[in-house]
């Protein structure tokens, strides 16, 4: 079939845009003025949180795929996972120094801290959840359920009662980029670890490839990114009985539901974690997969 000139130009423009994307990111430069023009307010409710004397900064580069940032306020440093490079990185607020915190990390993904300030980590390659003690030693929180190995723990949160909740999709056992190839032996569950008896239980088993998760500020609800559907969705569970509720938390953009937002983001290959901001509203943190 013979292409028209218009079709040819449109196709060429699309290819050029895709080709230019990595180069545009590589040439990114911080703003030289305030307020930072890179900061766009698409929902007026965010305006009150914008700091006019703050700007977007690049604190580190050279990673292949970053995940699981966790702020260690008492130490004034940030930790995050560089999954394919099999390491956890560290950025120090006081000096700006970037260093390797842990390598190998067993293709660590999600990180958080428990109520005692200890680091909790989801490890893809070892298919386990670990806790880094204050002396630096590592304790395995969970690596099996019903005698079978976990799939590849992905994201993790700690409730105020000390219980640890994490998602267990199969992403780390589907290839060698973020783990190793293995046959999943368990459903893609969301688990709860009880600190009183160290037992693991299924919190819910009907989320297809669960990813990011977060509690509401009063911990009455649990929000989980379901990564399998297309477009991806946010599931919300009542913590009273973990029953699936048929609504979304909020409209993220006036006139556009959160579901519509996720659908538009999905077209760009965007998915990942969910986090909270003030006023009891949800902010869906995203990672662009290039």
């Amino acid at each position: 079939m013979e292409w028209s000139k218009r079709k040819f130009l449109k196709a060429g423009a699309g290819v050029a845009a895709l080709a230019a994307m990595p180069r545009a990111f590589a040439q990114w430069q911080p703003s030289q003025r305030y307020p930072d023009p890179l900061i766009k307010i698409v929902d007026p409710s965010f305006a009150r949180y914008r700091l006019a004397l703050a700007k977007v900064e690049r604190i580190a580069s050279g990673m292949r795929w970053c995940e699981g940032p966790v702020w260690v306020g008492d130490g004034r440093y940030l930790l995050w996972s560089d999954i394919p490079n099999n390491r956890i990185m560290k950025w120090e607020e006081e000096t700006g120094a970037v260093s390797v915190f842990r390598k190998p990390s067993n293709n660590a993904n999600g990180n958080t801290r428990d109520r005692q300030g200890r680091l909790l980590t989801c490890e893809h390659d070892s298919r386990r959840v670990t806790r880094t003690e204050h002396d630096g030693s590592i304790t395995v929180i969970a690596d099996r359920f019903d005698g079978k190995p976990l799939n590849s723990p992905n994201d993790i949160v700690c409730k105020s009662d000390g219980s640890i909740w994490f998602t267990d999709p199969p992403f780390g056992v589907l290839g060698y980029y973020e783990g190793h190839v293995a046959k999943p032996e368990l459903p893609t569950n969301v688990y709860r670890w009880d600190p009183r008896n160290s037992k693991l239980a299924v919190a819910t088993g009907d989320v297809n490839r669960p990813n990011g998760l977060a509690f509401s500020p009063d911990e009455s609800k649990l929000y989980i990114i379901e990564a399998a559907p297309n477009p991806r969705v946010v599931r919300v569970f009542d913590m009273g009985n973990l029953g699936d509720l048929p609504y979304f938390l909020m409209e993220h953009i006036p006139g556009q539901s959160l579901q519509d937002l996720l659908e538009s983001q999905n077209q760009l290959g965007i998915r990942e974690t969910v986090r909270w901001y003030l006023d009891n509203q949800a902010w869906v943190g995203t990672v662009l997969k290039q």
Side-chain angles (χ1 to χ4, degrees):
M1 181 177 67
E2 188 173 308
W3 279 27
S4 68
K5 182 177 180 181
R6 177 173 296 181
K7 287 182 178 180
F8 180 80
L9 291 175
K10 287 177 66 177
V15 172
L18 290 174
M21 185 179 293
R23 185 167 63 252
F25 278 106
Q27 294 175 350
W28 177 86
Q29 294 294 327
S31 173
Q32 300 301 312
R33 63 181 178 85
Y34 295 106
D36 192 335
L38 291 176
I39 301 175
K40 307 292 185 182
I41 298 176
V42 295
D43 187 324
S45 64
F46 276 89
R48 74 185 74 178
Y49 306 118
R50 179 176 183 176
L51 298 177
L53 295 180
K55 64 180 181 179
V56 178
E57 300 179 49
R58 182 167 59 189
I59 63 173
S61 61
M63 283 69 65
R64 296 183 68 183
W65 174 11
C66 299
E67 281 274 15
V70 57
W71 176 248
V72 183
D74 48 330
R76 297 180 62 186
Y77 61 86
L78 178 75
L79 299 177
W80 72 93
S81 298
D82 181 7
I83 302 178
N85 283 328
N86 198 19
R87 59 185 182 174
I88 295 178
M89 304 298 293
K90 178 182 180 181
W91 173 80
E92 299 179 38
E93 180 187 30
E94 187 173 5
T95 65
V98 176
S99 59
V100 175
F101 176 79
R102 177 178 298 163
K103 184 179 177 67
S105 67
N106 296 317
N107 296 109
N109 190 326
N111 297 285
T112 193
R113 300 178 77 191
D114 68 7
R115 309 306 291 185
Q116 289 73 44
R118 296 169 295 191
L119 178 66
L120 301 174
T121 301
C122 294
E123 300 178 0
H124 275 189
D125 191 55
S126 54
R127 305 169 73 173
R128 66 183 187 176
V129 174
T130 62
R131 182 179 66 210
T132 302
E133 308 295 344
H134 292 304
D135 62 3
S137 61
I138 294 178
T139 299
V140 177
I141 295 296
D143 60 358
R144 305 181 76 83
F145 181 74
D146 278 349
K148 300 176 181 179
L150 299 175
N151 297 319
S152 55
N154 187 285
D155 203 7
I156 187 168
V157 290
C158 186
K159 203 164 176 278
S160 62
D161 62 3
S163 59
I164 298 170
W165 302 65
F166 64 93
T167 56
D168 190 35
F171 305 131
V173 295
L174 300 180
Y176 294 100
Y177 190 66
E178 53 182 304
H180 66 274
V181 174
K183 182 180 179 180
E185 299 182 41
L186 291 167
T188 58
N189 296 322
V190 178
Y191 293 99
R192 176 187 183 273
W193 180 84
D194 193 329
R196 297 170 299 180
N197 53 29
S198 299
K199 290 186 177 180
L200 196 64
V202 175
T204 180
D206 66 344
V207 180
N208 193 354
R209 296 190 174 188
N211 202 310
L213 75 170
F215 286 107
S216 59
D218 63 0
E219 298 184 335
S220 65
K221 294 177 176 61
L222 177 64
Y223 294 82
I224 304 170
I225 298 290
E226 187 170 24
N230 187 6
R232 296 172 178 88
V233 298
V234 178
R235 305 279 295 277
V236 55
F237 293 85
D238 186 335
M239 290 302 295
N241 55 20
L242 287 178
D244 196 5
L245 302 179
Y247 61 83
F248 288 93
L249 181 64
M250 60 170 285
E251 289 190 353
H252 195 80
I253 298 177
Q256 184 180 36
S257 69
L258 180 58
Q259 174 66 13
D260 292 336
L261 174 66
L262 292 177
E263 183 174 359
S264 65
Q265 289 183 336
N266 183 70
Q267 296 173 1
L268 296 175
I270 296 176
R271 65 175 174 83
E272 287 303 335
T273 63
V274 60
R275 288 293 183 264
W276 282 93
Y277 72 96
L278 300 178
D279 293 343
N280 292 356
Q281 299 183 73
W283 167 253
V284 180
T286 58
V287 175
L288 178 60
K289 304 295 186 186
Q290 296 183 31

